[in-house]
Amino acid sequence: MFIQTESTPNPATLKFLPGQSVLGTGTADFPNADSAGSSPLAQRLFAIDGVTGVFFGSDFVTVTKADPVEWDHIKPALLGGIMEHFQSGQPVLDGDAEQPSGHAAHDGPDSGIVNQIKELLDTRVRPAVAQDGGDITFHGFDRGIVYLHMQGACAGCPSSTLTLKMGIENLLRHYIPEVVEVRPVAA
């Protein structure tokens, strides 16, 4: 098994490509070790000293490290952990684990606008941020303000504010006049 690595715009996050499916659909975000109970792979990675976040996409794993830790020191252990996991035959998520994360549900008078927002996110935004090892999902819409949840490499990325304001906000405002602002939300 050969695992490729790619840097991301977030210097604290590295993307690992194991050359096979990680999650069939959706994403799974583990922002800390306490949240990893449903994933044998996430538990294995959090056992490596310096790991502060794990995120799964369809064909990649992103790992976030603590600031003082150097990639050169933990990258071999991470590569070994990912390889051992896939060779063990264990699932990435336990069978009874919650379905991978996605957009928050929203109904009410703004449901038409929300559906347009989700469609633009799914077709224009999410594929691009997945290439950088992250995901952005819809969290809410209130009086013209879109609330988005940033995961994986996007969470804590120095350029995430620029991505939100100059990229996503401009895109949504262009296609949906009711959108006036985009804001991030914490997990």
Side-chain angles (χ1 to χ4, degrees):
M1 175 179 213
F2 179 72
I3 302 171
Q4 294 181 339
T5 59
E6 291 180 0
S7 59
T8 71
N10 184 347
T13 302
L14 196 58
K15 183 177 177 181
F16 295 83
L17 298 140
Q20 64 189 63
S21 177
V22 176
L23 288 181
T25 59
T27 61
D29 188 30
F30 304 96
N32 55 54
D34 293 339
S35 65
S38 65
S39 172
L41 176 55
Q43 289 174 21
R44 187 183 299 249
L45 296 175
F46 275 113
I48 298 167
D49 199 30
V51 172
T52 61
V54 175
F55 179 81
F56 302 142
S58 61
D59 64 348
F60 66 88
V61 175
T62 57
V63 177
T64 303
K65 68 171 185 68
D67 280 339
V69 177
E70 295 295 328
W71 281 117
D72 291 344
H73 294 120
I74 65 168
K75 186 176 169 183
L78 292 167
L79 288 165
I82 293 168
M83 186 177 300
E84 287 171 12
H85 175 81
F86 282 105
Q87 290 175 342
S88 76
Q90 284 186 297
V92 172
L93 293 176
D94 287 333
D96 60 346
E98 203 174 294
Q99 190 65 359
S101 63
H103 299 303
H106 183 94
D107 52 8
D110 295 326
S111 61
I113 295 168
V114 168
N115 287 339
Q116 288 179 306
I117 292 168
K118 290 179 181 180
E119 175 70 19
L120 284 169
L121 290 173
D122 287 343
T123 59
R124 305 263 179 129
V125 177
R126 294 178 84 186
V129 296
Q131 290 180 337
D132 287 337
D135 197 10
I136 296 177
T137 57
F138 174 82
H139 186 77
F141 179 74
D142 184 33
R143 290 175 270 183
I145 301 172
V146 178
Y147 296 92
L148 300 177
H149 183 218
M150 303 178 83
Q151 301 171 315
C154 296
C157 178
S159 62
S160 65
T161 301
L162 185 64
T163 299
L164 272 180
K165 291 295 181 186
M166 301 308 287
I168 300 168
E169 184 176 291
N170 286 344
L171 173 81
L172 293 178
R173 289 174 66 190
H174 176 77
Y175 288 103
I176 307 167
E178 293 85 354
V179 172
V180 294
E181 185 181 356
V182 173
R183 294 182 188 168
V185 295

